[in-house]
Amino acid sequence: MTDVFIIGGGINGCGIARDAAGRGLSVTLAEMNDLASATSSASTKLFHGGLRYLEYFEVRLVREALKERETLLRAMPHISWPKRFVLPYHKDMRFEGETPISRMLSVIMPWMKGRRPAWLIRFGLFLYDNLGGRKILPGTNTVDLKTDVVGQALQKRFSKAYEYSDCWIEDSRLVVLNARDAQARGANIMTRTKVTSAKRVDGLWQVDTVDQNTGATQTIFARLLVNAGGPWVKKVLQDTAHVQSNEGVRLVRGSHIVTRKLFDHDKCYFFQGEDGRIIFAIPYENDFTLIGTTDADHTDPNEKPTCTDAEADYLCKFASQYFEKPVTRDDIVWTYAGVRPLYDDGATSATAATRDYVLKIDDADGVAPILNVFGGKITTYRKLAEHALEKITPYFENTSDGWTAGVALPGGDFPVDGVDTLIANLKRDYDFLDDFWARRLIKAYGTDAAQILGDAKSGDDLGDAFGATLTAREISWLMDKEYAQTAEDVVWRRSRLGLRMSADEISNLNTWMQSGANANGDITIAS
Ligand SMILES: Cc1cc2nc3c(=O)[nH]c(=O)nc-3n(C[C@H](O)[C@H](O)[C@H](O)COP(=O)(O)OP(=O)(O)OC[C@H]3O[C@@H](n4cnc5c(N)ncnc54)[C@H](O)[C@@H]3O)c2cc1C
């Protein structure tokens, strides 16, 4: 028996699990694949307020997200860090045509024909700087692209840009660290476990699961069910729990391309297209550039999203309107796509559908409630979890209050500006690490990195090497503590080392992981 059973191990399910476990509730979470295997590993990876949502007057969402950036940054300075965004200004700049701002401008400034005057962009950035309060992140400034290094990669027709702040987040690591922390606080996290049925029986939820690896089935009773199924939220509601509901989800696919590094500085670009959409070009994993995203309606959550050729071409063409050197399909080294499970607010276009979240509780018979999670951003996951708990705790006695603001995630218990010191200390204590390796370990594991390396005196002490600095010691950690079961989990979600590893290396890693070398205790990690 468990108090709360959560379906879905994306960021929302794991965030709710952590918060609920910390309030004294017993929690069980089932994820049918790997943690973050769906939308939560396929985002643009930004903790951001969402500058473009201001055009839709989504002030609540933007303010909450802006405020969250610094709260989250403090709790996880290893996997999240500040970023500067360069927004080149040109006189033909336009945002989406159907936004409330667009409609207002077409009445009061019809001669602009959808274009945005510089003062309006600056005003939007002023709001962005001030709506959520900032202590860590610097505010907006104007950049002369003729002289500043960020202008070098751009076409010469751009002379002026605005530069503002948001933050980077390692999305799939965020999910795993929430799951780890939930487990440390008593939650039972089950991966590769699909919920096949949930029904109300004698005032409880009877939840049936199947282990995707072994086929073993299990039945667990729960007082309250949370449906955090992301793109499957409606399917879980209707087909698994058989609850009638008018709430709808709008599935909107977003694709990204990863190219070889296109510019030589650490700032990101915010580009606006002639179609009113925006894309980002972001320095990625040292040697690459991440470009995205698109918005396309997607019908079936079971259909694996992929970046289509048309989307890849669209992103190349879009970025080429800004970069001096055109971006072509030959530059692309990897693509990925995810499906946004947006709350269906009846918007005309996929781009315009609200990015805010909606939490709906159904307790028609007064007992055995189900909480359904629609929409949301990675950025607002902690607030979403707090709001979910506000709806959940009235069904239980003796729960404690919200606690997650200001509590570090595993490995994140160090100052926001402490990454370089941690890296230097790690290199001092383990002198066989080069810069790339030490930085990678700190930015993935923070203060846990030294625990992984333990008493190693040389690279050989870390066991088999699988390429790109991955060793048996680290894989054992990922299997023992971070729910990794396959090479894919390791190279595309616990890390992004798949960008640097050959197919053979990944295959060898998988063979090692399936061989039981870890289970046989070849490498032991102190707990
Ligand atoms: C292209 C794109 C870019 C984005 N960029 C950003 C960004 O930069 N910043 C930001 O803040 N947000 C961004 N987002 C939004 C953010 O990624 C999502 O809001 C968030 O990841 C949704 O998380 P989730 O937990 O609701 O869903 P998911 O991560 O999809 O998790 C749902 C989980 O439920 C599991 N599940 C479903 N049915 C069952 C079942 N029957 N049994 C067991 N498990 C089940 C699935 O396997 C899945 O893992 C972006 C989204 C996309 C698509």
Side-chain angles (χ1 to χ4, degrees):
M1 167 79 87
T2 186
D3 288 334
V4 180
F5 191 106
I6 301 171
I7 304 176
I11 189 53
N12 289 327
C14 292
I16 293 171
R18 177 186 186 230
D19 195 334
R23 294 191 200 213
L25 292 166
S26 60
V27 175
T28 300
L29 180 146
E31 162 54 51
M32 64 182 171
N33 296 311
D34 182 27
L35 295 173
S37 52
T39 316
S40 298
S41 58
S43 78
T44 310
K45 305 170 207 318
L46 301 178
F47 276 156
H48 64 156
L51 186 56
R52 74 176 191 86
Y53 311 145
L54 284 175
E55 284 257 329
Y56 291 93
F57 293 136
E58 293 228 38
V59 177
R60 194 213 73 79
L61 170 66
V62 177
R63 179 183 283 126
E64 182 173 285
L66 286 172
K67 272 193 184 160
E68 269 303 276
R69 292 180 310 185
E70 294 200 1
T71 306
L72 297 171
L73 200 53
R74 285 196 180 89
M76 52 194 89
H78 48 337
I79 58 165
S80 175
W81 49 89
K83 276 280 180 200
R84 295 292 281 169
F85 287 75
V86 177
L87 192 166
Y89 178 76
H90 55 93
K91 65 179 177 27
D92 289 332
M93 185 170 272
R94 55 192 79 212
F95 282 82
E96 291 109 291
E98 289 305 311
T99 70
I101 290 274
S102 270
R103 287 197 285 272
M104 205 171 77
L105 282 182
S106 68
V107 174
I108 59 172
M109 299 172 75
W111 61 90
M112 291 300 286
K113 295 198 167 60
R115 294 190 299 271
R116 296 292 182 271
W119 63 262
L120 188 64
I121 307 274
R122 191 63 192 84
F123 179 64
L125 286 164
F126 171 81
L127 288 179
Y128 205 72
D129 276 349
N130 293 292
L131 263 178
R134 281 174 301 107
K135 292 210 172 64
I136 303 170
L137 301 172
T140 301
N141 59 277
T142 307
V143 179
D144 182 351
L145 294 174
K146 302 269 181 232
T147 54
D148 197 293
V149 65
V150 296
Q152 284 172 8
L154 300 179
Q155 292 170 20
K156 299 297 164 265
R157 65 193 177 99
F158 301 108
S159 56
K160 171 179 166 180
Y162 299 110
E163 204 183 278
Y164 70 95
S165 291
D166 263 324
C167 300
W168 178 259
I169 175 64
E170 299 285 348
D171 54 3
S172 43
R173 291 210 53 76
L174 175 69
V175 177
V176 168
L177 295 185
N178 270 277
R180 260 184 71 192
D181 204 46
Q183 185 174 321
R185 294 170 197 278
N188 176 22
I189 307 289
M190 306 189 295
T191 63
R192 267 93 184 180
T193 304
K194 182 174 183 172
V195 174
T196 49
S197 154
K199 50 178 180 275
R200 287 176 163 125
V201 177
D202 298 335
L204 294 172
W205 281 99
Q206 177 185 318
V207 184
D208 296 331
T209 65
V210 60
D211 183 317
Q212 305 276 68
N213 291 332
T214 63
T217 57
Q218 209 188 146
T219 297
I220 296 169
F221 287 90
R223 296 191 174 86
L224 187 145
L225 192 63
V226 174
N227 171 9
W232 291 267
V233 62
K234 187 84 188 187
K235 269 196 182 309
V236 168
L237 188 57
Q238 281 182 342
D239 305 343
T240 310
H242 303 287
V243 173
Q244 292 309 318
S245 160
N246 295 327
E247 307 303 332
V249 64
R250 180 159 186 176
L251 302 182
V252 177
R253 188 179 67 247
S255 295
H256 291 83
I257 56 174
V258 175
T259 67
R260 281 182 284 273
K261 192 175 187 166
L262 298 176
F263 48 89
D264 240 338
H265 56 80
D266 64 357
K267 294 180 180 169
C268 314
Y269 293 103
F270 175 116
F271 294 149
Q272 287 188 276
E274 285 160 0
D275 58 358
R277 293 195 63 262
I278 64 120
I279 60 165
F280 296 103
I282 303 173
Y284 188 51
E285 297 285 322
N286 291 319
D287 300 319
F288 305 94
T289 302
L290 174 65
I291 300 178
T293 174
T294 55
D295 288 294
D297 281 312
H298 191 85
T299 43
D300 181 359
N302 290 325
E303 187 190 318
K304 192 174 161 42
T306 50
C307 176
T308 62
D309 286 351
E311 284 176 299
D313 285 342
Y314 169 85
L315 291 170
C316 288
K317 196 168 154 217
F318 199 142
S320 300
Q321 287 166 357
Y322 282 84
F323 286 121
E324 177 88 308
K325 189 168 173 296
V327 184
T328 70
R329 291 273 283 278
D330 290 342
D331 294 313
I332 299 177
V333 294
W334 185 52
T335 66
Y336 66 86
V339 175
R340 303 173 181 88
L342 304 180
Y343 181 67
D344 192 354
D345 60 353
T348 45
S349 75
T351 308
T354 182
R355 266 55 176 170
D356 211 346
Y357 55 83
V358 174
L359 302 171
K360 293 276 176 178
I361 203 142
D362 174 304
D363 67 349
D365 45 6
V367 284
I370 177 170
L371 176 73
N372 298 292
V373 177
F374 296 93
K377 305 280 299 167
I378 297 257
T379 315
T380 47
Y381 88 93
R382 195 196 64 81
K383 288 300 288 182
L384 183 152
E386 269 186 357
H387 287 138
L389 266 295
E390 276 166 24
K391 292 189 181 287
I392 291 172
T393 47
Y395 293 95
F396 299 94
E397 285 168 5
N398 302 324
T399 53
S400 47
D401 293 339
W403 61 276
T404 53
V407 177
L409 282 174
D413 49 341
F414 67 96
V416 267
D417 57 357
V419 162
D420 288 337
T421 307
L422 276 191
I423 293 170
N425 291 347
L426 199 73
K427 284 186 69 179
R428 182 199 59 209
D429 297 343
Y430 300 94
D431 59 9
F432 56 89
L433 297 178
D434 63 17
D435 283 341
F436 170 80
W437 196 353
R439 183 164 287 274
R440 181 180 75 73
L441 291 176
I442 292 299
K443 288 200 157 194
Y445 306 106
T447 53
D448 283 342
Q451 213 190 317
I452 297 173
L453 298 175
D455 58 1
K457 299 276 178 287
S458 72
D460 289 345
D461 293 340
L462 298 174
D464 289 351
F466 300 101
T469 68
L470 264 182
T471 62
R473 180 77 64 93
E474 187 176 348
I475 303 301
S476 296
W477 170 277
L478 292 173
M479 294 178 79
D480 290 345
K481 309 252 188 227
E482 298 198 2
Y483 320 93
Q485 292 190 11
T486 68
E488 192 187 317
D489 302 350
V490 171
V491 306
W492 293 119
R493 288 184 286 277
R494 303 307 179 278
S495 74
R496 309 278 171 187
L497 290 173
L499 285 168
R500 298 171 186 280
M501 292 172 72
S502 68
D504 281 350
E505 285 174 328
I506 295 173
S507 162
N508 288 341
L509 172 60
N510 204 45
T511 306
W512 188 89
M513 289 177 76
Q514 307 312 316
S515 71
N518 179 56
N520 291 340
D522 282 1
I523 306 282
T524 322
I525 304 234
S527 48

